[in-house]
């Protein structure tokens, strides 16, 4: 009882000259080349999101694989009034949440975050150093708040897209973002404090 | 009060999270559509500026190829596994459910057994990546038949009759 496959005429914004639009339609028809194109094009998007949420490369890789397989197997469900990337991120988010639940189930005493992007060469530019501190600070923000920050500031989703993705009113999104920024700022200042004299505020 | 662009004091308050929910929504919806105000909001918030500069996480090409490759391999594997397995798994699980319920012949334990089986079935579905909604109607009918059959059988057992006829 498979759902009927999405057809080209169902895509409101179908555009034959647009790689993304064409690949989605072709992949729906089962074209492996189009599926491969989507996998190449959107795996990095999902990986970046998953890495920021999971804070661990292996987990991010697993989440990416699971998400992209779900995406490619459920293309017929895609409603193109959403941006394709937003739809994919909503699936990535659910995958990450499942993983968080599984982890909490396994051990409630597990440290929340393990790996962070490596600082790289010793001589970091101050901007680079701030970015690294920020990544560490982001890891200290609880996932509920981290996700809105990642979606807005890193994935550049609109506020209303986040509301749609999380299925909550936009007022709730705003409250959550404000609280998230406050938490991030506190975490960031806590980390940056020893260097505050030398670095100064960004 | 209407404005073409978000007034500076309101934008500053917005960035600090120091606005009413009503104003926050109003500004957010405007910022969503107005690149100029969006840029101003980023500029007004040092943290957002740093976030913007930190947002570019470039991935090595080998990693991207590896990710896409494993996605395609996984997709192929699941496509070859899922199709013949689906009906077999479904029928097998329902038969197992009925059998366990009949063997136990215990209507109080039956629900717990059924719940365990339901979870097992969900785990199997997840493993072969079949969306629940696709098979939900089949499961519903199967569950009703299994519960009905089991209740009937346990009632017959209580009456000292054979559960079968």
């Amino acid at each position: 009882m498979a759902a009927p496959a999405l057809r080209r005429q169902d895509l409101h914004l179908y555009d034959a000259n647009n790689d993304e639009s064409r690949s989605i339609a072709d992949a729906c028809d089962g074209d492996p080349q189009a599926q491969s194109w989507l996998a190449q094009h959107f795996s990095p998007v999902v990986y970046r999101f998953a890495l920021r949420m999971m804070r661990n490369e292996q987990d991010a890789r697993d989440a990416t694989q699971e998400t992209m397989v779900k995406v490619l197997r459920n293309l017929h469900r895609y409603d193109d009034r959403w941006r394709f990337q937003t739809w994919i991120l909503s699936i990535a988010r659910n995958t990450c949440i499942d993983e968080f639940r599984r982890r909490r189930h396994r051990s409630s005493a597990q440290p929340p975050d393990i790996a962070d992007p490596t600082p790289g060469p010793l001589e970091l530019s101050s901007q680079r150093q701030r970015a690294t501190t920020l990544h560490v600070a982001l890891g200290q923000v609880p996932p509920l708040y981290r996700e809105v920050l990642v979606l807005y500031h890193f994935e550049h989703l609109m506020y209303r897209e986040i509301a749609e993705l999380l299925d909550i009113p936009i007022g709730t999104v705003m409250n959550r973002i404000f609280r998230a920024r406050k938490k991030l700022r506190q975490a960031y200042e806590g980390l940056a404090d020893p260097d505050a004299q030398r670095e100064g505020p960004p | 009060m209407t404005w073409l662009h978000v007034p500076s004091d309101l934008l500053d308050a917005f960035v600090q999270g120091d606005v009413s929910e009503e104003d926050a929504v109003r500004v957010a919806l405007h910022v969503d559509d107005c690149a100029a105000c969006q840029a101003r909001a980023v500029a007004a918030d040092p943290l957002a500026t740093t976030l913007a500069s930190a947002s570019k996480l470039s991935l090595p090409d080998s990693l991207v190829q590896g990710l896409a490759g494993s996605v395609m391999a996984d997709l192929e594997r699941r496509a070859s596994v899922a199709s013949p397995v689906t009906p077999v798994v479904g029928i097998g699980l329902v038969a197992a459910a009925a059998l366990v319920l009949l063997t136990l012949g215990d209507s109080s334990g039956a629900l717990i057994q059924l719940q365990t089986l339901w979870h097992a079935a969900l785990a199997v579905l997840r493993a072969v990546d079949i969306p629940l909604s696709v098979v939900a109607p089949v499961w519903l009918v199967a569950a009703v038949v299994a519960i009905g059959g089991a209740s009937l059988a346990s009632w017959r057992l209580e009456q000292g009759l054979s559960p079968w006829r």
Side-chain angles (χ1 to χ4, degrees):
Chain A
M1 275 220 326
L6 179 94
R7 286 172 313 191
R8 237 160 263 256
Q9 58 264 36
D10 298 331
L11 288 167
H12 304 89
L13 306 170
Y14 177 68
D15 175 6
N17 294 320
N18 178 295
D19 280 351
E20 181 181 306
S21 185
R22 205 180 46 236
S23 296
I24 295 167
D26 289 348
C28 270
D29 294 342
D31 177 356
Q33 263 188 331
Q35 290 178 335
S36 175
W37 188 89
L38 291 176
Q40 295 239 353
H41 209 73
F42 288 100
S43 292
V45 176
V46 175
Y47 179 79
R48 269 189 279 259
F49 173 79
L51 186 63
R52 284 175 174 134
M53 290 306 292
M54 318 291 298
R55 320 290 295 172
N56 172 300
E57 282 183 22
Q58 187 55 50
D59 286 348
R61 216 173 291 206
D62 293 347
T64 304
Q65 185 169 331
E66 202 175 324
T67 302
M68 284 312 295
V69 169
K70 275 186 207 160
V71 164
L72 292 173
R73 288 175 63 105
N74 290 286
L75 277 174
H76 56 272
R77 288 156 192 265
Y78 168 56
D79 173 352
D80 74 341
R81 274 163 295 191
W82 286 50
R83 256 200 309 156
F84 192 58
Q85 182 164 333
T86 309
W87 183 66
I88 287 187
L89 285 173
S90 76
I91 296 174
R93 174 191 178 251
N94 289 338
T95 308
C96 290
I97 288 178
D98 283 350
E99 180 54 31
F100 281 133
R101 280 206 195 112
R102 228 168 288 154
R103 272 195 213 171
R104 204 179 309 152
H105 223 67
R106 247 184 275 144
S107 152
S108 51
Q110 205 171 5
D113 298 314
I114 308 124
D116 280 298
T118 43
L122 279 174
E123 292 301 315
L124 291 172
S125 69
S126 66
Q127 193 194 40
R128 179 87 198 279
Q129 195 160 19
R130 277 202 296 272
T132 308
T133 310
L134 200 67
H135 277 292
V136 180
L138 192 63
Q140 294 177 359
V141 175
L144 178 75
Y145 297 102
R146 196 191 304 158
E147 83 178 349
V148 286
L149 289 175
V150 171
L151 290 172
Y152 189 77
H153 288 287
F154 292 101
E155 302 304 333
H156 307 295
L157 259 58
M158 295 185 200
Y159 291 115
R160 64 165 78 89
E161 284 178 317
I162 297 175
E164 213 167 327
L165 191 154
L166 302 182
D167 201 16
I168 52 176
I170 192 159
T172 311
V173 171
M174 298 319 297
N175 280 328
R176 208 174 279 178
I177 284 190
F178 290 154
R179 236 169 269 168
R181 283 196 191 132
K182 208 166 281 175
K183 283 176 194 293
L184 179 65
R185 211 170 286 143
Q186 281 164 356
Y188 180 81
E189 280 162 9
L191 288 164
D193 196 40
D195 299 323
Q197 297 297 321
R198 186 162 47 83
E199 284 292 328
Chain B
M1 192 174 73
T2 55
W3 27 257
L4 191 58
H5 290 293
V6 185
S8 294
D9 51 344
L10 181 58
L11 195 71
D12 285 341
F14 175 80
V15 164
Q16 296 302 321
D18 220 4
V19 284
S20 67
E21 187 175 312
E22 195 187 330
D23 276 342
V25 170
R26 207 160 148 240
V27 174
L29 291 175
H30 176 85
V31 165
D32 268 355
D33 294 326
C34 175
C37 286
Q38 198 172 47
R40 285 171 59 217
V42 171
D45 181 5
L47 195 66
T49 315
T50 310
L51 279 166
S53 73
S55 74
K56 290 172 188 61
L57 182 67
S58 62
L59 305 179
D61 204 38
S62 57
L63 177 72
V64 176
Q65 295 301 327
L67 285 171
S70 49
V71 167
M72 292 310 288
D74 195 359
L75 196 67
E76 218 161 279
R77 185 180 59 77
R78 293 200 209 194
S80 64
V81 167
S83 47
V85 160
T86 323
V88 178
V89 167
I91 294 166
L93 278 173
V94 172
L99 202 68
V100 168
L101 292 170
L102 280 176
T103 320
L104 287 178
D106 171 11
S107 50
S108 63
L111 268 179
I112 299 166
Q113 291 294 327
L114 205 66
Q115 201 186 4
T116 314
L117 278 157
W118 171 249
H119 286 300
L122 283 183
V124 171
L125 284 176
R126 213 171 292 136
V128 293
D129 195 28
I130 301 162
L132 183 63
S133 56
V134 172
V135 287
V138 181
W139 286 108
L140 203 65
V141 172
V144 167
V145 169
I147 294 171
S151 328
L152 187 67
S154 62
W155 177 77
R156 287 181 66 94
L157 273 171
E158 274 167 27
Q159 303 296 312
L161 300 167
S162 151
W164 303 107
R165 42 173 299 152

